[in-house]
Amino acid sequence: MVTTPQQSSAHPVYVIGGGPGGLAVAASLRERGVRAVVLEKSDAVGASWRAHYDRLRLHTTRRLSGLPGLRMPRAFGRWVARADVVRYLETYAEKHELEIVTGVEVFRIERAGEEWLLHATGGRRLTGRAVVVATGYNHTPRLPEWPGRDAYEGELSHARTYRNPGPYEGKDVLVVGAGNTGAEIAADLAEGGAGRVRLAVRTVPHIVRRTTAGWPAQRSGILVRRLPVAVADRMGEVMGRCSLPDLTAYGLPRPEKGLATRQREGAIPVQDVGLIDAVRSGKVEVVAAVDAFEGGEVLLADGTRITPDAVIAATGYRRALEPLLGHLEGVLDEQGRPVAHGARCAREAPGLYFTGFTNPISGMFRELALDAERIARRIARSR
């Protein structure tokens, strides 16, 4: 049962971002009688999910991906499709009667005594008792500063703009980056009629089966987080050798560092949704990392020169929090990441919370749901 938000405080809690993390926090706050206003710069909730490629499905199971107060419908299946995620987020906002203002972008957050001042679109100056930043892990596409990139004569795009293999039918395509996005786009292209697909790999990823004998990789990820790194690394090695073929001959040797060690460094394992079969069948060729561009050629780290028709850079994203918060002492680290997450605040910024800025092996939606409850409890206690 939802509690009617109390009006005892003159200022609401502002939640910046109308994705799953922001909506979950707003719903959890409303459940506790705290007024929360979601500020979303686009014209609808779930903007990042609307922009993802068509093939994408959650890599976490439906049962472990629901946000507080609303399960995902069984009709969505075990692995929820991108379009169904969008529908779920729309339904979630409606069910919880969330107060959402679209078309408003927050540019700067400042401390104002015991409260927070937000500078937003149209000259708005909004005062909040607390602020939750939920602008997302995948916020701003990152394109490496490869030598010769700006003068490259070929077609170069970021994975953010990729939707489906239709435009690449019959073409020679180079996908750069072997994370989950790059691996899945490469498989999608191979299955969708691209003439040739190459995957440029700098650091060989850990690859895991989405399920093994019905056991989802997500549940293993939840268990692994509670184990010592050395033990988790050993378990990952044993599971990998038992469930995965050796792809060394295809350019994907087993990683030297353990799965848990790599995860602590920020590298999430790649869930296999077609890459292994595509590589073994020759439909996806693994090549060396991209070093530079020269005219219409792409120079690889092993000295090879290739001339693909299109290059798709699955090279990740930046959090892009510096313009918003970079002026606040002790809030961001050297890499621009929040120094505190979830219900914890930076010592110098009480009342400023962050959610969705980690990439947990246990599942993003699951951790967003847990974060939302923790943040809401903390804010509700502080009123």
Side-chain angles (χ1 to χ4, degrees):
M1 180 177 179
V2 175
T3 304
T4 302
Q6 297 178 358
Q7 303 300 323
S8 57
S9 174
H11 302 296
V13 174
Y14 281 108
V15 180
I16 306 175
L23 299 181
V25 171
S28 297
L29 285 167
R30 179 174 170 79
E31 179 72 21
R32 290 165 173 80
V34 179
R35 184 188 174 205
V37 178
V38 179
L39 303 176
E40 167 56 47
K41 70 176 182 179
S42 72
D43 61 357
V45 300
S48 64
W49 276 92
R50 295 174 191 274
H52 286 315
Y53 49 94
D54 298 344
R55 170 190 172 119
L56 181 65
R57 290 179 177 269
L58 281 178
H59 289 170
T60 55
T61 66
R62 169 182 51 80
R63 289 185 178 182
L64 295 176
S65 300
L67 300 178
L70 183 65
R71 293 182 178 181
M72 286 192 170
R74 180 176 293 182
F76 285 178
R78 193 177 197 188
W79 310 105
V80 182
R82 177 197 64 83
D84 286 332
V85 171
V86 173
R87 281 192 281 271
Y88 171 74
L89 296 178
E90 291 172 340
T91 301
Y92 191 85
E94 293 172 3
K95 177 186 183 298
H96 291 288
E97 299 179 346
L98 301 183
E99 190 173 346
I100 302 171
V101 183
T102 59
V104 174
E105 182 175 3
V106 179
F107 299 107
R108 184 180 175 90
I109 301 175
E110 296 177 347
R111 191 71 179 168
E114 296 298 315
E115 297 177 317
W116 291 93
L117 179 64
L118 286 66
H119 298 265
T121 304
R124 294 178 176 86
R125 293 165 64 88
L126 309 171
T127 302
R129 52 174 289 198
V131 176
V132 182
V133 181
T135 49
Y137 187 83
N138 295 336
H139 186 274
T140 302
R142 185 182 70 84
L143 202 61
E145 294 289 342
W146 288 300
R149 185 197 72 183
D150 293 340
Y152 179 53
E153 298 171 359
E155 178 185 336
L156 171 63
S157 61
H158 190 272
R160 168 64 70 85
T161 65
Y162 178 84
R163 292 294 176 271
N164 58 65
Y168 302 93
E169 185 175 356
K171 291 186 176 182
D172 181 341
V173 186
L174 173 67
V175 180
V176 185
N180 275 292
T181 298
E184 188 158 358
I185 287 177
D188 196 32
L189 288 165
E191 295 169 10
R196 184 178 187 179
V197 181
R198 285 175 280 202
L199 179 63
V201 178
R202 185 173 299 279
T203 303
V204 178
H206 281 274
I207 302 175
V208 299
R209 297 287 191 189
R210 189 160 63 175
T211 59
T212 302
W215 178 264
Q218 181 187 8
R219 290 196 178 276
S220 296
I222 294 171
L223 296 175
V224 161
R225 294 188 72 185
R226 300 178 180 275
L227 297 175
V229 173
V231 175
D233 279 347
R234 179 57 181 162
M235 286 182 60
E237 180 183 0
V238 171
M239 291 177 63
R241 292 187 181 279
C242 291
S243 62
L244 298 169
D246 186 355
L247 299 176
T248 301
Y250 302 94
L252 289 175
R254 298 189 188 278
E256 295 181 2
K257 291 185 178 181
L259 187 151
T261 297
R262 290 292 309 282
Q263 192 273 329
R264 292 291 178 92
E265 296 173 350
I268 296 298
V270 170
Q271 286 201 19
D272 177 42
V273 289
L275 179 67
I276 290 177
D277 287 344
V279 168
R280 295 179 76 185
S281 67
K283 293 181 178 179
V284 172
E285 307 167 45
V286 177
V287 298
V290 170
D291 262 5
F293 292 85
E294 188 174 297
E297 295 184 318
V298 181
L299 282 61
L300 304 182
D302 62 1
T304 304
R305 292 172 175 262
I306 61 176
T307 55
D309 297 315
V311 179
I312 300 174
T315 46
Y317 297 80
R318 295 183 293 107
R319 311 296 85 80
L321 291 170
E322 291 84 354
L324 189 68
L325 298 159
H327 56 284
L328 296 175
E329 185 177 352
V331 171
L332 304 179
D333 65 15
E334 293 83 357
Q335 285 75 46
R337 301 170 302 193
V339 299
H341 188 85
R344 294 175 289 111
C345 300
R347 181 178 303 176
E348 295 83 356
L352 179 62
Y353 301 87
F354 296 86
T355 184
F357 291 94
T358 61
N359 194 10
I361 195 172
S362 53
M364 177 67 82
F365 270 58
R366 177 179 181 273
E367 296 302 323
L368 290 174
L370 294 173
D371 269 355
E373 296 285 4
R374 294 168 184 145
I375 292 171
R377 283 197 299 267
R378 174 85 176 265
I379 291 176
R381 285 199 303 265
S382 67
R383 66 177 177 222

